[in-house]
Amino acid sequence: MIAIGLEGSANKLGVGIISHPSPGKPAQILSNLRHTFVTPPGEGFLPKDTAKHHRSWVVQLVKQAMAEAKVMIKDVDCICYTKGPGMGAPLQSVAVAARMLALLWEKELVGVNHCVGHIEMGREITGADNPVVLYVSGGNTQVIAYAEQRYRIFGEALDIAVGNCLDRFARTLEISNDPAPGYNIEQLAKKGKVLLDLPYAVKGMDCSFAGILSSIDVLAAELKANPETKDPITGEVITTADLCFTLQETIYAMLVEITERAMAHVGSSQVLLVGGVGCNERLQEMMGLMAAGRGGSIFATDERFCIDNGIMIAHAGLRAYETGFRTPLEDSTCTQRFRTDEMFIKWRD
Amino acid sequence: MEIQAAPPAHQAPLSPSPHLLPPIFQSDTAPPQMITQGAEALLYRTTYLLPTLPCALKYRPSKPYRHPILDARLTKHRILSEARVLVKCRREGVPVPAVYAVDEREGWVMLEWVEGEVVRVKVNEWLRRRKELGVAEGVEEEVLKGLMGRIGRAIGRMHGGGGLCMGDLTTSNLMLRPKREDTVNGEGSRNAGDEVLGGEIVLIDFGLASQSSADEDRAVDLYVLERAFGSTHPRAEGLFSELLGAYGTSFKGANVVLKKLEEVRMRGRKRSMLG
């Protein structure tokens, strides 16, 4: 069976085409295209402009994806799209595009939970069987484990998401949003050496990033006012790179800690990293060290699958489609609020 | 005392080799026995002063993934605050293990040994037995309700009497210590293995605890437990209101906390905003 997936819950528009050969065989990725709405340094992406970006690119991307996959319209079994969670306006644009394709090609629709898309794609690519999942992106921070047909949320950010914290700090520093603000922070952090004091906010399996963002913003303002400030311990001049280094070391330590706690709680030794922040190499390294200490291993994917993409929506949608799930046209809405544990996972035991 | 993880079945038995204990415990003729690896700490069983006095040794090895400065800061802070909190709880009559000895630089604390099992294991065992016997959900749940009530009151005593918040409240951080007579003639079972849920609640693992009487922190404690309960024992989730009911009557001001809990729940749920 073949499905096309459309994703546009944030600033990435993704179109992917996947094929599920006979059951038990690995899925085949026929095409996986993405176009990102990049804003100038110091600016975030607004829903209105992001929706416009998606509307103007979706037709071209679908045509290109079909051509690259070398499939005919008659080969496609269903059209999968992101039902939520995400930003309202961009979600709507993509849902309308999906409806249009469904009517034009006379195919059935499948609305997919964005987070479940990430998890299912991560499992498919890495072969992780039943891992504890850390889902970290610009809008979500969740520690998830599977139980009784649902992906259950064990821990999450109590205020802003970890990726949002990084994005907003990139705006404070006015560094480039291309290809992604988090990526540029990661590169800067590689040059950092001094660890400054930041709050450390873990509550059980939950964590909080808003206070940390305020603190690092204060540190950035102080640095801007006195560029010659020296670290009292090493005597080295503090740089923006040190700020990025400090921020990464602190927030990733928090993420690894809550993941470890969830692993201990459910007695699992596998951990799967998904979401845009999941392709950060420092986070992967730290998570790997933690997992090794528990006699386990880490599963992560690269930016093709970590960052929002259409193929994951196609994949999770096709899984649901194979179990008989359909989204009738009149119900093909989208929603900003759609918890990971709201979706019934019929395809797993 | 952090009895969190049942070691995964496919894993080799835990060997102490990757985490060497501090020198003071190495020369011992009877080396401490590793019990479990929690998220934060390793738990050993050993003895304190007398070979007949069992004790729990909780050791927080340094975390290789953390920056050394951050690691030292967190380890020291957590060992000390845990010991302080336990001592305070003990004084206020909150059921917790006693503190025998502390070394925050080396990262260990010695605690009273608590017999029994964590609530997570016991509740799952009880649910499984019932499923095997074919007892429907919602039927004869008095025993579980009773347990929820005892948990609620224990938390109430910690919040109200102790002026403390746990920071990490899950069913892995609550122990069920069997009453002495239960251990002797616990064989005479009633229905569906009800004695499984008997015993006294003992709160363990105060690694993230703090001295706080803010309604916010108390409400977050309850929220964290509620969510952990929902994700660990989905089938028993409906009985959480029993726990909250018992909590609500356990100290003056508990009702304000329950109001606050509704606020925290709303906020937590808002997290599904963006993708």
Side-chain angles (χ1 to χ4, degrees):
Chain A
M1 279 205 252
I2 292 178
I4 180 165
L6 274 69
E7 148 67 27
S9 58
N11 68 332
K12 286 110 191 155
L13 176 68
V15 178
I17 298 176
I18 203 158
S19 161
H20 286 181
S22 52
K25 294 243 178 76
Q28 283 178 346
I29 293 151
L30 304 178
S31 61
N32 185 21
L33 300 175
R34 172 166 56 219
H35 197 276
T36 307
F37 175 52
V38 178
T39 48
E43 284 179 32
F45 50 93
L46 296 171
K48 179 182 69 169
D49 305 331
T50 314
K52 197 175 164 199
H53 165 268
H54 291 0
R55 283 199 299 273
S56 42
W57 281 90
V58 70
V59 173
Q60 189 180 331
L61 233 54
V62 169
K63 277 186 178 167
Q64 213 179 321
M66 291 292 281
E68 214 171 274
K70 297 195 181 68
V71 293
M72 311 295 286
I73 292 169
K74 66 170 170 51
D75 303 329
V76 177
D77 288 280
C78 62
I79 317 259
C80 311
Y81 74 99
T82 310
K83 192 178 173 70
M87 290 168 91
L91 278 173
Q92 274 171 16
S93 306
V94 174
V96 167
R99 276 188 192 178
M100 186 238 351
L101 286 179
L103 290 170
L104 194 67
W105 294 350
E106 296 177 342
K107 306 286 178 192
E108 288 188 283
L109 278 167
V110 179
V112 178
N113 180 299
H114 181 88
C115 317
V116 172
H118 271 297
I119 299 168
E120 286 301 333
M121 202 64 216
R123 286 180 57 227
E124 179 69 32
I125 295 290
T126 61
D129 177 39
N130 187 21
V132 166
V133 183
L134 178 67
Y135 170 31
V136 275
S137 67
N140 287 287
T141 308
Q142 298 178 338
V143 184
I144 301 157
Y146 175 83
E148 302 190 14
Q149 244 100 55
R150 303 231 179 236
Y151 284 112
R152 297 183 188 271
I153 302 169
F154 277 69
E156 63 190 317
L158 294 171
D159 38 52
I160 61 172
V162 60
N164 192 241
C165 179
L166 290 165
D167 291 352
R168 283 160 72 174
F169 186 58
R171 266 181 254 164
T172 305
L173 296 180
E174 298 194 356
I175 58 180
S176 169
N177 288 327
D178 187 20
Y183 176 82
N184 292 318
I185 289 185
E186 181 181 358
Q187 302 317 310
L188 263 174
K190 285 179 182 165
K191 293 177 215 144
K193 284 188 289 288
V194 182
L195 187 88
L196 302 161
D197 243 10
L198 275 186
Y200 187 91
V202 165
K203 293 183 178 188
M205 285 184 248
D206 294 326
C207 51
S208 150
F209 297 102
I212 293 176
L213 177 62
S214 308
S215 304
I216 193 90
D217 277 349
V218 168
L219 289 177
E222 282 172 5
L223 188 65
K224 210 173 177 184
N226 310 299
E228 297 302 311
T229 314
K230 287 193 175 117
D231 176 45
I233 304 168
T234 57
E236 292 199 45
V237 178
I238 297 169
T239 62
T240 342
D242 292 327
L243 293 182
C244 294
F245 175 73
T246 301
L247 182 62
Q248 282 209 141
E249 288 299 314
T250 308
I251 61 181
Y252 294 161
M254 288 164 54
L255 291 177
V256 176
E257 184 182 335
I258 60 170
T259 310
E260 181 165 26
R261 193 160 292 131
M263 287 168 78
H265 191 70
V266 302
S268 165
S269 60
Q270 290 184 332
V271 52
L272 172 65
L273 258 177
V274 298
V277 183
C279 59
N280 183 293
E281 286 171 0
R282 177 62 184 143
L283 177 58
Q284 292 183 359
E285 181 191 8
M286 288 166 78
M287 200 61 86
L289 284 167
M290 180 274 283
R294 307 190 63 81
S297 46
I298 173 194
F299 297 85
T301 56
D302 60 41
E303 57 83 31
R304 285 174 299 166
F305 307 108
C306 255
I307 298 175
D308 292 353
N309 58 80
I311 203 79
M312 68 184 203
I313 300 300
H315 178 64
L318 195 50
R319 278 260 181 279
Y321 183 82
E322 284 157 355
T323 62
F325 181 83
R326 306 284 184 274
T327 305
L329 188 69
E330 58 272 25
D331 297 336
S332 63
T333 52
C334 54
T335 169
Q336 298 190 91
R337 293 176 173 80
F338 190 2
R339 302 261 308 167
T340 315
D341 50 13
E342 281 171 42
M343 192 146 165
F344 186 72
I345 311 297
K346 203 176 173 184
W347 55 90
R348 287 188 67 175
D349 340 300
Chain B
M1 286 198 37
E2 193 171 62
I3 303 183
Q4 292 211 329
H10 62 270
Q11 212 181 305
L14 291 165
S15 69
S17 51
H19 306 284
L20 220 51
L21 279 170
I24 181 170
F25 299 108
Q26 283 175 23
S27 56
D28 217 329
T29 42
Q33 239 186 316
M34 184 185 287
I35 303 297
T36 184
Q37 176 180 19
E40 287 280 293
L42 301 162
L43 184 73
Y44 295 84
R45 186 190 167 122
T46 178
T47 54
Y48 178 67
L49 298 179
L50 297 169
T52 51
L53 182 61
C55 93
L57 170 66
K58 185 172 172 177
Y59 172 49
R60 293 173 178 268
S62 81
K63 295 279 181 190
Y65 65 83
R66 267 197 306 239
H67 191 285
I69 295 178
L70 181 61
D71 188 62
R73 189 181 113 199
L74 291 175
T75 302
K76 184 180 163 201
H77 176 257
R78 287 179 180 171
I79 285 275
L80 278 180
S81 82
E82 176 166 18
R84 281 194 195 108
V85 161
L86 284 172
V87 169
K88 182 151 188 224
C89 275
R90 192 89 181 163
R91 208 162 49 215
E92 302 294 337
V94 185
V96 296
V99 178
Y100 293 160
V102 186
D103 186 336
E104 79 277 6
R105 290 209 180 182
E106 291 284 354
W108 59 261
V109 57
M110 270 182 155
L111 304 170
E112 175 190 351
W113 183 259
V114 179
E115 294 294 339
E117 276 278 12
V118 296
V119 168
R120 172 174 58 89
V121 172
K122 286 291 185 185
V123 169
N124 282 343
E125 186 183 336
W126 186 78
L127 288 170
R128 199 196 61 231
R129 280 204 203 178
R130 273 167 59 97
K131 207 178 176 186
E132 282 167 10
L133 289 169
V135 186
E137 262 177 68
V139 181
E140 291 172 14
E141 285 176 336
E142 276 63 39
V143 193
L144 186 55
K145 282 184 185 167
L147 175 74
M148 298 299 265
R150 271 176 290 152
I151 296 175
R153 278 189 292 277
I155 299 169
R157 206 170 317 146
M158 171 180 70
H159 281 175
L164 296 158
C165 287
M166 188 98 164
D168 175 24
L169 205 45
T170 67
T171 46
S172 301
N173 292 341
L174 299 163
M175 294 267 297
L176 261 182
R177 171 158 53 192
K179 291 207 182 98
R180 208 141 283 163
E181 57 269 34
D182 285 358
T183 47
V184 177
N185 45 23
E187 297 304 312
S189 107
R190 281 160 291 171
N191 42 15
D194 283 350
E195 80 285 353
V196 167
L197 298 184
E200 179 201 9
I201 296 286
V202 181
L203 300 156
I204 56 165
D205 189 9
F206 285 73
L208 289 173
S210 57
Q211 315 214 3
S212 163
S213 48
D215 295 326
E216 164 78 20
D217 292 340
R218 291 171 173 174
V220 169
D221 254 5
L222 294 175
Y223 178 66
V224 168
L225 179 62
E226 180 176 48
R227 284 247 319 280
F229 217 93
S231 31
T232 324
H233 320 284
R235 270 176 269 157
E237 194 178 4
L239 292 178
F240 199 78
S241 55
E242 291 290 329
L243 191 155
L244 294 180
Y247 177 87
T249 56
S250 61
F251 69 99
K252 214 177 145 223
N255 281 319
V256 188
V257 178
L258 293 179
K259 283 238 167 60
K260 192 86 187 170
L261 174 63
E262 282 167 31
E263 233 177 80
V264 175
R265 277 187 194 136
M266 295 298 292
R267 202 172 50 203
R269 292 222 164 254
K270 235 172 77 183
R271 282 276 13 103
S272 59
M273 274 290 284
L274 296 175

